[in-house]
Amino acid sequence: MSSGSALPDLNNPKAIYLAPLGGLGEIGMNMMVVIYKQKAILIDCGVMFPDPTMLGVDLIVPNIQFILENKIKIEGIVLTHGHEDHIGATAYLLEDLGYPPIYGTPFTLALIEDRLREKGVLAKAELHSLTPPTTFQVGNFKFRTIQVTHSIVDSMGLIIETPIGTLVHSGDFKIDDDPMDGRTIDEKSLMAAGKKGVLLLMSDSTNVEREGWSKSEHTVGEGIFQVFKKLKKGKIIVAVFASNIHRIQQILDTAKKFKRKVAFCGRSMHSNTETARRLGHLHFKDDQIIPASMVEDLDRDHVLILATGTQAEPRSALYRMSLNDHPEIKIHPGDTVVMSSRYIPGNEKNISHLINNLYRRGAEVIDSHMADIHASGHAHQEEQKKLIEWTRPKFFLPVHGEYRMLVKHLQLAQSAFKSTSGIVAENGDLLELTQSGIKKIRRIPSGKIFLDEGATDLHEEMLRDRKQLAHTGLVVVSLVVEKDEGKILEGPDFDIRGVNDEVDLDSLRAELLARFRELSREARGDDIEVEEEFRRVTRRFFRKANGVKPVVIPLIYEV
Amino acid sequence: MSSGSALPDLNNPKAIYLAPLGGLGEIGMNMMVVIYKQKAILIDCGVMFPDPTMLGVDLIVPNIQFILENKIKIEGIVLTHGHEDHIGATAYLLEDLGYPPIYGTPFTLALIEDRLREKGVLAKAELHSLTPPTTFQVGNFKFRTIQVTHSIVDSMGLIIETPIGTLVHSGDFKIDDDPMDGRTIDEKSLMAAGKKGVLLLMSDSTNVEREGWSKSEHTVGEGIFQVFKKLKKGKIIVAVFASNIHRIQQILDTAKKFKRKVAFCGRSMHSNTETARRLGHLHFKDDQIIPASMVEDLDRDHVLILATGTQAEPRSALYRMSLNDHPEIKIHPGDTVVMSSRYIPGNEKNISHLINNLYRRGAEVIDSHMADIHASGHAHQEEQKKLIEWTRPKFFLPVHGEYRMLVKHLQLAQSAFKSTSGIVAENGDLLELTQSGIKKIRRIPSGKIFLDEGATDLHEEMLRDRKQLAHTGLVVVSLVVEKDEGKILEGPDFDIRGVNDEVDLDSLRAELLARFRELSREARGDDIEVEEEFRRVTRRFFRKANGVKPVVIPLIYEV
């Protein structure tokens, strides 16, 4: 595997090139470029959310430099489902990608439309709505869409016929034999593809560390029923992902049985339920719903609130309630919060804080550790094996997972279907797939683009500077000097931020002046030399006083 | 409950006042002040470790302003065991507390001695070593030390006879009927105290959300044996808390059975094992141990490394190995890392990164989700109930836990011993305990002191400034003006850190100059007014260009 060398000939008619730019080696930001003769399709175009250490970062999108620099023509973006880690980067990257047509199911497209509109790129976007099973052609690729079950409605996998063989991409999936909408995974088409011959299977690795089978979404309905049954008194607040429409349906249905009116709370809860209802995925009568503003006026024993905030997002409805800062909903002693969700890794501590604050308000909190109120949307080991057995791929490429999950998924695949061979690849590995093998041929540019809320690209250096400022604080030291005589006109002055300033600044001032006067006439005239000297002295001074060297910005003006 | 009012009379001879300054409502930084007639003892004096969002914070200690302002004389510090969250603040606070005598078991004192020496306060410290069961008197308090089992050797609980009744403090404990050293919890003394009458029980809440009984440490030995048995090839690296001496003993013993030599790796691993061996808590022969520098020269199948780094601490041995950055130990494909530990909440994501990097090195990783290789040191519900049943306290105060855990522990106590009543209190609640009740009487100063590596107190404002700098970056805008004529001598100049500087600075410069010239002569002479105007213009300019307003430091010099 070479690196840094010129790009290989992507025109080889006997090879498909795969460029994972997101989702392989780290969860989130899914994006797979599938290239044949310099033309390509993109499978998914997702974001990643920053962890709490990334101060000032609002969103993370994949680096698509590889596509742009090598003038790879993207002829289509295929979005497997509507989760943000699969669609969220589209609005940011669509222009750079040259507005290729976007393919997706109706619910996925409804979600992406909102994002495109917000970013002002909807008018130029070309959207193709399709409901599996359908087929469509993009350049050299012939797609057959495959219905799959997942934690969002209208999810799909892909069978892609290419000039060198058939690829299967699972999307995110689980095998739920009894899904809420009856739309089970399209086992038949997958098996048919397997019989005809699948060259490569790319499959979701998220839950490879979980044995057995995932639970059916239906079992959650029963768990929720049992919980609600015990809660005769007080409001019930259920926190749930706003995109988990089937979960919301079950909660609405169960609320009805217990004669509780429902209020939607949180921006995405309103918009997603409205979209899902319009598209026929969600069913309820208007009179079951009350506005959040009415909640406090009603009998608490007959109210249920569906709220955003399962991950303790600071702007979410539940988070604000936990701080008694929600404009419409107050939590009272005796109320119960039901967390119908899992804790996404990295959010555990924030969620724990949230729950403690709910207890401080007097609520009890029930989560999926305490009751059967959540089911994962991702295949466990036995389901992952099934997909491999159905498709019998010649080669296997685990996708959508952290590095260790990809390793374990390849091991699993090889245990399930002995004749499969495969490879563990990460974002930035350029892979060459031929009928005889799949291999890494080089590293390509990839990585994360950190966007702040203004969508400015916070490149590495900026983030490093910011981290440094946050680690140590800042001292600006300034001096105005008369050019000819070297007379001090002003300063040294200090502007101190985030640094302990209970130090003897007069002594620092004296030291800086002394040092300035010791400098040769020539050195004094050299701003850079004076500034370096001031930086050194100031850092050493604070190191001695406080134990830590701050960032020092020296400003010397000669006038 | 009043707040902000004058402190009540702490001289009331019929009351004990309890001031929790750490450990109640949040895990870590344990410190309980027990006051009688203005004189007090401190139970534990621990630190908390910063989470990754607290950039530049090295350590967190409790705020003891309440003690100092009210001139409460601390007559003794009793350390229940040697974990950092129980002893780590002692060296930082000892001087302010007036060097009261410190009481603890030999292992606890050996650990604290090192810290006191590092901080240069050992010479003035008065250390009293005691091994339960012992009794000693501090002022009006008569202590009986109680042997308890925990995840560190030499742990104790306390029975405290006071002028108004008997208090029991559990320390951190579990009930292990078959501990490694045979030193079971002192059930007899606790039951005897219960029979005589316990006024108040303060008990460890950490594991109140876990049902049943904690596992005996002995079961971990069997789990480790089973894991090692399967690992015939390659190095074994076991990550474990360096203070968990019994765990280390079991690993050493099991390594011997499989003819693996052991290397200690990590600073605290060396010092803790040495101390534990010296005090008779750890037993091994010299020829079982090899220096880390020899590991790479030996047959990998006959080597085991005991390493620090279970929480992915950036300076730990395992962390450095995961990045292939350890000076002595390399990880090779086929090696196995065994994480004999739990994941402390907040560290999950860092630990997950660490494990992925170990897989990138070619290792397999086994953790306590996959094998029986860890046992908690804290009592589960049934053990917590036992302690309550033994001591039959009139009043109950849950300690050492997040808020929800305290709530649940009080509920548990009331279910276990009906006639107990109690209270959920948090850090900063001043409690009055009399023979007829326990109640909150007011809020007192409390909270966290954030220390950087120089042990400087990073007060709130400094942290806020730093966070702001990290969120948005910084622009320094400076201008030197001739005083009389208002002529611009230099600038406006910009110094930009952590902000996208691909903006039209000439246009900003022009706007600032125009604004300056529009100002009245009078306003121009007013530095503050000019600076405010410059800040406003600059922030607005960057907001427009980048979408985010940076921190702006305007510096105007008139010379």
Side-chain angles (χ1 to χ4, degrees), chain A residues 52-53 55-56 352 356 359-360 364 402 404 408 411 426 456 462 466 470-472 478 490 498 500 546 557, chain B residues 52-53 56 352 356 359-360 364 402 404 408 411 426 456 462 466 470-472 478 490 498 500 546 557:
Chain A
T53 63
L55 298 170
S352 182
N356 285 320
Y359 271 91
R360 287 188 176 98
E364 294 271 344
E402 299 178 27
R404 68 176 189 281
K408 291 177 183 183
Q411 289 167 354
E426 289 201 81
T456 298
M462 282 164 64
R466 289 183 179 194
H471 262 290
T472 65
S478 54
E490 175 110 23
N500 176 22
N546 292 343
Y557 303 101
Chain B
T53 62
S352 182
N356 286 319
Y359 272 91
R360 288 187 174 98
E364 293 271 344
E402 300 178 26
R404 69 176 188 280
K408 290 177 182 183
Q411 288 166 355
E426 289 201 81
T456 298
M462 282 165 65
R466 290 182 178 194
H471 262 288
T472 64
S478 54
E490 175 110 23
N500 177 22
N546 292 341
Y557 303 101

Side-chain angles (χ1 to χ4, degrees), chain A residues 264-327:
Chain A
F264 295 123
C265 215
R267 192 177 150 209
S268 59
M269 192 63 73
H270 282 284
S271 63
N272 284 15
T273 52
E274 194 184 303
T275 302
R277 193 186 193 192
R278 175 166 54 80
L279 296 176
H281 295 292
L282 189 63
H283 310 277
F284 56 85
K285 289 196 173 139
D286 288 338
D287 68 0
Q288 196 189 348
I289 307 301
I290 54 167
S293 58
M294 267 183 65
V295 165
E296 292 299 315
D297 301 330
L298 288 181
D299 173 10
R300 287 166 55 218
D301 309 345
H302 290 100
V303 170
L304 183 142
I305 295 139
L306 264 166
T308 57
T310 62
Q311 304 305 311
E313 303 91 335
R315 280 172 274 194
S316 66
L318 188 64
Y319 186 87
R320 297 186 66 183
M321 290 177 208
S322 77
L323 295 177
N324 203 16
D325 182 39
H326 193 278

Side-chain angles (χ1 to χ4, degrees), chain A residues 74-101:
Chain A
I74 303 295
E75 300 192 308
I77 302 175
V78 186
L79 302 173
T80 59
H81 62 281
H83 281 148
E84 285 294 323
D85 57 332
H86 291 259
I87 68 168
T90 314
Y92 294 90
L93 303 178
L94 195 60
E95 186 173 351
D96 283 347
L97 292 169
Y99 290 99

